[in-house]
Amino acid sequence: MDLAIIQDLLMTGFLRGGLYASMAVGLALVFGVMNICHFAHGEYYVLGAYCAYFAFVTLGLNPILSLLVASVLSFLAGAISEKLLFYPLRKRSKGEWIMNAFLLTAGLSVVLQNLFRVFFGMKYRGITQFWKTTFHVLGMSLPADRIIAFFIAMVAIAALWLFLKKTRIGRAIRAVSQDENGAKLVGINLDRIQTLTFALGSMLAGLGGASMLSLSPAYPYAGNKPLISSWFVVTIVGLGNVPGAIVGGFIVGIFESVSFFFLGSGWQDVASLTLLILLLLFKPTGLFGTQIKSVWE
Amino acid sequence: MQTIISSLNKIGKILQRAIGSLNTIGFSTPFIVFIILIACAPLYIKNQYMLRLLVVSLYYGILAMAFDFTGGFINAVNFGYAGFVGLGSYTSALLVVYTGINPWLGLIIAMGVTASVGFLTGLLTLPLRGIYVSLMSWFVGLTLMALASALVEVTRGARGLVVSPIDESATILTHLYILLTLMMVIYFILRLIINSHIGLAFKAIGQNYDAACASGVNPTKYKLFNFTLSCACAGLLGGYYAHFVGIVTPDVMDTGHTMEVMALSYIGGSGSLLGGVFAAFLLLPIFDSLKQLMEYRLIIYGMLLILVMIFYPVGLNGLYQKFLQFIKRKKETKL
């Protein structure tokens, strides 16, 4: 086994893991705070990619600005869809909230996917690169986009962490995730917190899609792969565990690139499924466990 | 004259009693009318294409019914439903193509294989709460789809596996009647289970999990039984569909198909079994007659699902129940 191949595999896995981590953090956050199994997360990824494409190519903005546009727009899209769909559901739902919300996101995912198809067609919209440089890391030359996309994901996660830990609103979000009724008692506006959380989650996905634009072009079904992988991350680390999702993202990224290299597509999915089965057999609370009450009581 | 009237009366009474006894086993009057309408369809529909549409609606209707058996009663959504259907299709198709066994035997084996995969999936996730079973079945479905596309030497991948028909002389009418019989049999069995003490346990688990546990119901056992049965239905129908269409591609396992079945079952009203069948017969012909809608089909399904979930969770079945109540009230005021 060549050392260079191992290095290459680990590197690609690690870089891919960055994206999965940022997507999975969004999923875990939405699940932890709102108890929604967000199934349309991939669609916000695609939305971000489309926004970045049109900002960068059609409007000719510079890369940083286009990423900013993409994240702002996907933040807004998240906020709007929360207000339009989940808010009324929360007010009206009588049955089991988790299941109903899950079905709602599944419906939303199909609607958004096919709306993208109707509006933008089945065309791949990609760019060759945002930044025209290559970096040399450990003797490998990697396009700057990959590295920068990775750093953007890390910075986004760090910013989110700071926001949750240091600001008043961040504390309110954490309070809601711990105890909704208690949060209400101390005067936190639940509706606003939930809208904000959903919008933040969507923004993370949108930013991921935008920064990966040169590696995976925007097209209506582009969100499926990241969605599946980030759900895989969230499931193996334990639903709703935000810090675990970061570590899990890297684990899954490396696991996927290694298993793809040795097994090829098709069997790679079998390997992922086997991992999941083993985990459910021996440690059903997930690698790092979870304290979410509605799932584990 | 007198004798004719009295004998007519007698026949009427016998019919009434027959309908009454059918009602008690779950075949409500509209459903009986519906079955008779479908059974007599060849008399008033001569168009092959329309008949085919009926068969496809019937197929989706039964799938929605079997889906509702899990989704509407134990509140566990099988999000990999299309994967299980596709597993049935591929099992039967591969067996018939490679070993040349009788397609009917292939169907039975397909049912068994799908049921066992469903059983194992359920065994892993049903003791856990809530969403895990949806996630796991989704992953299982995705893996099956990936395998079907990757194992090109066996399944011919996206080019599709050509399958022989169930019977050399089978016409569209044969399929119609076979599926109609299948629907009645599956419905009869599912309804029988729902009406028994097992069904009561299902409803208890679906509505209030803790109360069900507290009253001595072992939720895992019942959930597992339910899930396995629903998967078996999926396998049987998937296998049948492969022989009906004549070609299987990995596309049958796409999550979009799960969405379609799921939307039908929830639009029909969850926990009603028959709602999905009626929803299929209402929506599929509409989509088919408006060809330009085909592209927007999934958007409309998704939107309907969202609207039903938010504003009218009881679905078509709820409308029907309201209608029944309305008639009852009218009758009472007349008296």
Side-chain angles (χ1 to χ4, degrees):
Chain A
M1 189 71 197
D2 202 353
L3 197 69
I5 295 177
I6 298 177
Q7 208 180 33
D8 189 50
L9 281 179
L10 289 182
M11 200 65 197
T12 38
F14 192 70
L15 291 179
R16 204 191 311 188
L19 169 78
Y20 292 165
S22 76
M23 298 255 320
V25 164
L27 276 182
L29 187 71
V30 169
F31 186 81
V33 177
M34 311 174 69
N35 267 332
I36 294 177
C37 287
H38 193 5
F39 215 76
H41 208 53
E43 273 50 70
Y44 294 94
Y45 171 94
V46 181
L47 184 73
Y50 272 124
C51 291
Y53 175 84
F54 288 120
F56 187 69
V57 176
T58 317
L59 299 179
L61 298 177
N62 80 352
I64 307 264
L65 221 52
S66 3
L67 290 180
L68 218 59
V69 167
S71 39
V72 168
L73 284 178
S74 41
F75 181 88
L76 284 179
I80 291 169
S81 38
E82 206 280 338
K83 271 279 172 258
L84 273 181
L85 301 173
F86 297 99
Y87 176 73
L89 182 70
R90 205 161 44 237
K91 293 289 164 243
R92 296 171 142 270
S93 149
K94 286 182 221 95
E96 202 181 293
W97 159 259
I98 291 198
M99 229 17 145
N100 292 348
F102 166 68
L103 289 170
L104 198 63
T105 60
L108 179 65
S109 152
V110 171
V111 170
L112 286 178
Q113 235 170 47
N114 288 281
L115 279 180
F116 289 143
R117 218 180 85 179
V118 170
F119 281 128
F120 305 122
M122 284 303 278
K123 217 174 105 188
Y124 286 85
R125 286 168 212 271
I127 54 169
T128 44
Q129 62 214 121
F130 278 125
W131 288 276
K132 287 193 180 58
T133 29
T134 46
F135 285 134
H136 295 277
V137 186
L138 300 168
M140 285 185 289
S141 63
L142 288 161
D145 274 37
R146 277 196 110 134
I147 311 277
I148 292 173
F150 177 78
F151 276 108
I152 288 171
M154 290 302 104
V155 168
I157 292 174
L160 182 75
W161 186 78
L162 276 179
F163 174 73
L164 288 179
K165 288 276 173 194
K166 298 288 172 197
T167 64
R168 250 183 100 76
I169 306 172
R171 270 205 295 280
I173 291 180
R174 283 189 296 139
V176 174
S177 85
Q178 281 162 10
D179 188 341
E180 268 188 31
N181 290 326
K184 230 193 265 173
L185 279 178
V186 295
I188 292 171
N189 186 341
L190 267 186
D191 295 334
R192 208 177 292 161
I193 291 297
Q194 286 178 324
T195 309
L196 179 70
T197 310
F198 198 85
L200 280 176
S202 309
M203 189 177 82
L204 278 177
L207 189 62
S211 58
M212 296 292 281
L213 187 59
S214 64
L215 303 171
S216 65
Y219 85 114
Y221 302 117
N224 284 342
K225 183 73 186 77
L227 174 79
I228 294 165
S229 299
S230 48
W231 259 117
F232 185 61
V233 172
V234 173
T235 321
I236 65 165
V237 298
L239 286 178
N241 186 333
V242 177
I246 304 170
V247 186
F250 291 109
I251 295 177
V252 169
I254 292 171
F255 178 78
E256 276 190 1
S257 73
V258 171
S259 62
F260 183 79
F261 179 77
F262 286 109
L263 303 169
S265 73
W267 290 106
Q268 183 221 326
D269 294 73
V270 178
S272 302
L273 189 69
T274 317
L275 186 69
L276 195 61
I277 289 172
L278 288 176
L279 209 72
L280 282 174
L281 274 177
F282 296 110
K283 197 162 185 325
T285 44
L287 277 180
F288 304 107
T290 166
Q291 278 97 40
I292 302 294
K293 271 207 86 185
S294 45
V295 188
W296 293 102
E297 276 176 281
Chain B
M1 196 62 205
Q2 201 71 38
T3 49
I4 293 173
I5 288 174
S6 71
S7 59
L8 269 179
N9 259 342
K10 216 175 252 170
I11 291 171
K13 259 181 199 156
I14 291 171
L15 258 179
Q16 211 169 9
R17 204 173 297 159
I19 289 176
S21 56
L22 278 174
N23 280 347
T24 53
I25 58 165
F27 285 69
S28 58
T29 320
F31 187 48
I32 297 168
V33 173
F34 171 77
I35 290 173
I36 294 170
L37 274 179
I38 301 285
C40 301
L43 293 179
Y44 53 87
I45 299 177
K46 297 284 178 230
N47 188 340
Q48 280 284 315
Y49 183 76
M50 291 305 284
L51 284 173
R52 202 180 161 81
L53 187 63
L54 275 188
V55 174
V56 174
S57 309
L58 210 48
Y59 165 74
Y60 273 101
I62 309 173
L63 278 184
M65 185 161 82
F67 183 88
D68 191 40
F69 187 62
T70 357
F73 287 93
I74 60 165
N75 210 356
V77 172
N78 184 345
F79 206 59
Y81 207 64
F84 289 101
V85 172
L87 179 65
S89 296
Y90 268 106
T91 313
S92 178
L94 289 173
L95 278 173
V96 170
V97 168
Y98 287 102
T99 64
I101 58 166
N102 188 312
W104 287 103
L105 192 63
L107 281 188
I108 305 288
I109 298 175
M111 194 164 110
V113 168
T114 318
S116 5
V117 173
F119 177 79
L120 291 177
T121 312
L123 194 65
L124 271 173
T125 50
L126 285 172
L128 311 178
R129 227 181 213 204
I131 207 74
Y132 271 84
V133 64
S134 305
L135 287 172
M136 188 65 185
S137 50
W138 183 48
F139 286 129
V140 169
L142 289 171
T143 309
L144 288 172
M145 184 173 168
L147 271 184
S149 343
L151 299 176
V152 181
E153 313 87 66
V154 185
T155 62
R156 288 171 48 82
R159 279 178 301 163
L161 190 69
V162 178
V163 193
S164 61
I166 195 109
D167 190 87
E168 287 307 327
S169 59
T171 61
I172 193 78
L173 286 183
T174 337
H175 290 299
L176 184 69
Y177 286 118
I178 291 175
L179 273 180
L180 190 64
T181 322
L182 257 183
M183 177 180 78
M184 288 196 284
V185 170
I186 291 177
Y187 176 70
F188 177 71
I189 295 172
L190 295 187
R191 182 52 77 184
L192 205 65
I193 294 168
I194 295 294
N195 285 343
S196 71
H197 71 282
I198 305 174
L200 198 62
F202 288 165
K203 280 175 219 159
I205 293 165
Q207 283 163 9
N208 193 335
Y209 187 88
D210 298 307
C213 293
S215 31
V217 172
N218 177 355
T220 310
K221 195 178 80 184
Y222 287 104
K223 284 204 271 188
L224 202 52
F225 172 64
N226 180 311
F227 195 78
T228 311
L229 195 60
S230 171
C231 287
C233 292
L236 179 68
L237 281 163
Y240 190 82
Y241 199 64
H243 293 292
F244 168 60
V245 178
I247 188 161
V248 209
T249 55
D251 188 54
V252 292
M253 305 192 188
D254 189 59
T255 312
H257 290 290
T258 309
M259 274 302 306
E260 247 170 282
V261 173
M262 195 161 93
L264 285 177
S265 116
Y266 278 92
I267 291 164
S270 81
S272 66
L273 288 186
L274 284 180
V277 180
F278 286 107
F281 272 88
L282 199 68
L283 290 177
L284 264 71
I286 292 179
F287 284 132
D288 198 80
S289 57
L290 300 166
K291 277 277 176 273
Q292 66 270 33
L293 273 187
M294 270 328 241
E295 195 183 349
Y296 305 102
R297 194 192 55 192
L298 280 171
I299 300 182
I300 296 170
Y301 269 133
M303 289 214 175
L304 280 176
L305 180 67
I306 290 174
L307 289 177
V308 166
M309 284 319 294
I310 298 180
F311 297 107
Y312 206 66
V314 283
L316 285 181
N317 180 47
L319 270 183
Y320 172 65
Q321 298 297 342
K322 233 178 209 167
F323 175 69
L324 283 187
Q325 267 175 11
F326 176 74
I327 289 180
K328 213 173 160 192
R329 215 170 298 146
K330 266 277 163 76
K331 261 186 195 164
E332 273 164 14
T333 48
K334 251 183 204 168
L335 285 173

